[in-house]
Amino acid sequence: LYESVAEYLADGTIDLDTDSFKVTLHTSTYTPNAATHTIYSDLTNELSTASGYTNGGAALGSVTWNRSGGTATLDAADTVWTASGGTITARYAVVRKDGTANGIVSPLIGYVLMDTTPADVSVTTGNTLTLQWNASGIFTLAIS
């Protein structure tokens, strides 16, 4: 998670019950900085619109925010891109709010290193790149 997400959740900039979210793909030359990256415009090296990817990312579908006991979980349907007319190659995925609140445009939530080697993940024309979110959700907040 980006460090700013705690503040954004606390002050209502991000509302996990009602907001819409997007996920973007970034090349190996993006270096996530959890301490200083706070909004979408802080991100670099997002893939260009080509080969089945659209710059700006894909909407997270079927988003849920549920609490069970002292643990709350954000989850969504897996996100899928189909390569068309070329190869989609990325190393990072970034989740953000799609919209503005409290004067903050597209606040960031978290990022995923898609291959822990680390290595690029590539799919060729006709194949799909699927972000299969963990069965336990995209992230959880727990009170212990």
Side-chain angles (χ1 to χ4, degrees):
L1 296 176
Y2 291 98
E3 291 178 15
S4 56
V5 76
E7 176 184 356
Y8 292 154
L9 291 170
D11 72 9
T13 299
I14 295 175
D15 184 335
L16 296 171
D17 282 322
T18 60
D19 286 342
S20 298
F21 304 94
K22 284 195 166 184
V23 59
T24 54
L25 297 178
H26 300 263
T27 68
S28 61
T29 55
Y30 170 60
T31 302
N33 188 320
T36 63
H37 292 171
T38 61
I39 58 175
Y40 176 58
S41 64
D42 290 336
L43 304 176
T44 60
N45 303 302
E46 181 182 355
L47 302 188
S48 300
T49 297
S51 304
Y53 179 80
T54 302
N55 188 267
L60 285 183
S62 304
V63 176
T64 60
W65 177 243
N66 295 308
R67 184 181 64 83
S68 177
T71 302
T73 304
L74 178 72
D75 200 7
D78 295 342
T79 307
V80 179
W81 291 271
T82 301
S84 174
T87 300
I88 297 173
T89 301
R91 183 163 298 181
Y92 295 96
V94 175
V95 177
R96 73 173 197 280
K97 173 180 173 160
D98 184 26
T100 302
N102 298 330
I104 312 243
V105 179
S106 296
L108 303 178
I109 295 175
Y111 64 91
V112 177
L113 175 61
M114 297 192 317
D115 180 302
T116 58
T117 304
D120 289 342
V121 174
S122 294
V123 294
T124 56
T125 297
N127 294 296
T128 58
L129 188 154
T130 302
L131 289 178
Q132 183 176 8
W133 301 111
N134 188 295
S136 297
I138 295 172
F139 75 87
T140 59
L141 295 177
I143 305 299
S144 57

